Amino acid sequence: MLILHQTQAIHWALAGLGISFVTITLLAVANRRLGVSTGFEDLCSLVLDAPYFKRSAVTSGRPWRLPLLGGLLIGGVLSAVLGGGWSPTWDLGMFDTDIGWGNGGKVIWMFAGGLFIGFGTRLAGGCTSGHGIFGLSNLELPSLVTTVSFMGAGVVTTNLLYRVIL
Amino acid sequence: MVLLYLGLGTLFGFVLSRSGAADYDFIQGMFLFTNFQLYGIIGSAVAITAPSLYLLKRYGKTLTGKPLVIELKPGHRGNVVGGILFGIGWSITGMCPGPILVNIGEGKVYALAALAGSLVGAGVFGVSYPRLQGIMRLPVLARGTGDG
């Protein structure tokens, strides 16, 4: 069951097929390797003028990365609308039942987690899509190293929180 | 082309939303080894993409006839250190970068805080790149850590 409208999740193979379709189409038509986290740099480059954000790898990606990020947002809206209607929600599943912090606590928790995501993905040179899907599919060693690192850290962190601390 | 990117992003976002890949409980279930769903999603995505990618590379051209260019990601210490930091963040929020945007779209208010944190984190990384370069053995600034 998804947190969103308590909907039944689609089969994993259908999701894998959909993600593959997006990845291959992006490459076959537009010559782009799938990746989301560099989009954060695109957004940063709109307001920060450190040399890192002025490099052409970041600025030249804007015409395709920003629409892709916008599409991810629209996909979420569409999913909510078609699944029972769109409305703002603070529901957070087992975080609510096991940890039970209020909205203010969730904002702090999420912001702190976001810092790790933003800094970590950019230091690693990619996230689940760029390393985990594209890099692994292209048999790239740095992607295997990164994927093992983030999966391992996630397993340790979640188990520490839900099986040791709680 | 903008419409193509927007369309692919929308399909990607919808699939992530409906499959559990953008769902806090499914992500924790993956890390607790109590839910197979995410392993199935990532595994089947790689299993279908890898051979398609191989065939496309052998064909060597995009559908519009341009030579296919796939820039490989560089290897460096940031793969491990950054990977570990990202894994901690993925566990804390239940979201990786794509699903942060999907969750905002779904109306989950707290995801805005995750996006704010991610942008600050990426900003701090970019600003401190010259200082991290030595210790993390990162490529020259113009190349970066790898575009993902």
Side-chain angles (χ1 to χ4, degrees):
Chain A
M1 284 291 185
L2 299 170
I3 295 171
L4 182 72
H5 295 311
Q6 299 293 308
T7 329
Q8 197 69 42
I10 59 170
H11 194 278
W12 50 262
L14 190 60
L17 189 68
I19 294 170
S20 293
F21 176 80
V22 170
T23 310
I24 292 299
T25 307
L26 197 60
L27 184 66
V29 177
N31 227 350
R32 305 288 185 190
R33 56 179 295 158
L34 177 77
V36 175
S37 69
T38 304
F40 290 157
E41 295 184 349
D42 281 355
L43 291 171
C44 286
S45 75
L46 300 175
V47 290
L48 294 174
D49 51 26
Y52 184 80
F53 296 110
K54 291 291 166 214
R55 62 200 184 93
S56 69
V58 173
T59 51
S60 69
R62 278 181 202 160
W64 74 274
R65 290 187 192 278
L66 296 182
L68 189 81
L69 296 193
L72 285 166
L73 207 69
I74 297 170
V77 174
L78 221 75
S79 168
V81 169
L82 298 176
W86 188 93
S87 59
T89 171
W90 287 88
D91 288 351
L92 196 48
M94 58 193 279
F95 187 93
D96 289 330
T97 48
D98 292 12
I99 300 175
W101 291 357
N103 297 350
K106 284 181 197 171
V107 166
I108 294 167
W109 182 255
M110 288 290 167
F111 183 82
L115 292 175
F116 280 92
I117 298 171
F119 191 92
T121 53
R122 291 324 310 145
L123 177 56
C127 59
T128 329
S129 55
H131 274 308
I133 305 290
F134 196 103
L136 285 188
S137 298
N138 199 31
L139 310 178
E140 295 175 43
L141 184 62
S143 294
L144 179 64
V145 171
T146 305
T147 305
V148 169
S149 303
F150 65 66
M151 289 305 296
V155 166
V156 170
T157 309
T158 289
N159 276 278
L160 264 178
L161 181 63
Y162 282 101
R163 290 203 172 125
V164 179
I165 298 173
L166 292 174
Chain B
M1 283 302 260
V2 170
L3 281 179
L4 172 79
Y5 302 133
L6 204 63
L8 286 176
T10 304
L11 175 62
F12 193 20
F14 190 85
V15 168
L16 292 173
S17 170
R18 287 304 176 89
S19 62
D23 185 284
Y24 182 85
D25 287 354
F26 275 83
I27 299 304
Q28 306 308 328
M30 161 179 71
F31 287 142
L32 291 168
F33 300 113
T34 53
N35 190 336
F36 175 77
Q37 182 83 359
L38 260 294
Y39 295 105
I41 294 171
I42 298 171
S44 60
V46 171
I48 301 168
T49 306
S52 319
L53 200 58
Y54 176 78
L55 291 175
L56 194 61
K57 283 198 290 189
R58 276 192 53 176
Y59 177 66
K61 285 182 286 201
T62 65
L63 296 183
T64 54
K66 290 189 183 139
L68 197 69
V69 184
I70 301 178
E71 199 182 323
L72 299 179
K73 288 178 188 289
H76 45 75
R77 288 181 182 164
N79 296 139
V80 174
V81 180
I84 290 173
L85 293 174
F86 164 46
I88 295 171
W90 193 8
S91 163
I92 291 176
T93 59
M95 302 173 221
C96 49
I100 291 179
L101 295 154
V102 176
N103 273 290
I104 293 173
E106 288 175 349
K108 292 172 181 158
V109 185
Y110 48 77
L112 287 166
L115 178 65
S118 299
L119 292 178
V120 172
V124 169
F125 172 75
V127 170
S128 32
Y129 195 91
R131 256 163 291 175
L132 293 164
Q133 224 170 341
I135 189 165
M136 292 293 162
R137 306 267 167 89
L138 304 180
V140 291
L141 188 133
R143 181 156 188 225
T145 52
D147 295 318

